[in-house]
């Protein structure tokens, strides 16, 4: 098993911007209550880490882990 972490920083939002976002983009069905790939992207100030981790699956990390497991398996044979 492994973990992946990405830090997302947001710009400061006004109360009106928050109300507009909540009323128009249904954040409650999203992890973290925002969709970085959607309308909320305009409020993202920075990302440190892998974008794919934020939107779902850290594909590059999964591949590296899988490759490492396959190499270990080959060595054991």
């Amino acid at each position: 098993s492994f973990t992946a972490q990405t830090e997302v920083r947001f710009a400061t939002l006004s109360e009106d911007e928050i109300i507009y976002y909540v009323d128009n983009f249904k954040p409650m069905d999203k992890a973290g209550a925002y969709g970085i790939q959607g309308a909320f992207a305009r409020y993202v100030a920075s990302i440190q880490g892998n974008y794919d981790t934020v939107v779902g699956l850290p594909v590059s990390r999964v591949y590296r882990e899988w490759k490492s497991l396959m190499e270990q398996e080959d060595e054991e044979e």
Side-chain angles (χ1 to χ4, degrees), residues 10 21 26-37 53-56:
F10 308 128
Y21 183 76
K26 301 184 183 351
M28 299 312 177
D29 70 345
K30 296 166 180 60
Y34 71 96
I36 195 169
Q37 72 278 27
T53 301
V54 180
V55 296

Side-chain angles (χ1 to χ4, degrees), residues 2 6-7 11 13 22-23 28-29 44 46 61 65-66 77:
F2 64 91
T6 297
E7 182 176 301
L13 281 75
V22 170
D23 287 348
M28 299 312 177
D29 70 345
V44 174
S46 67
R61 177 70 189 271
E65 295 292 333
W66 173 81
E77 290 180 357

Side-chain angles (χ1 to χ4, degrees), residues 14-58:
S14 69
E15 186 172 339
D16 287 341
E17 287 172 313
I18 294 168
I19 291 168
Y20 179 82
Y21 183 76
V22 170
D23 287 348
N24 292 283
F25 297 103
K26 301 184 183 351
M28 299 312 177
D29 70 345
K30 296 166 180 60
Y34 71 96
I36 195 169
Q37 72 278 27
F40 197 81
R42 70 186 86 175
Y43 305 118
V44 174
S46 67
I47 301 172
Q48 291 194 351
N50 187 313
Y51 177 83
D52 289 336
T53 301
V54 180
V55 296
L57 185 67

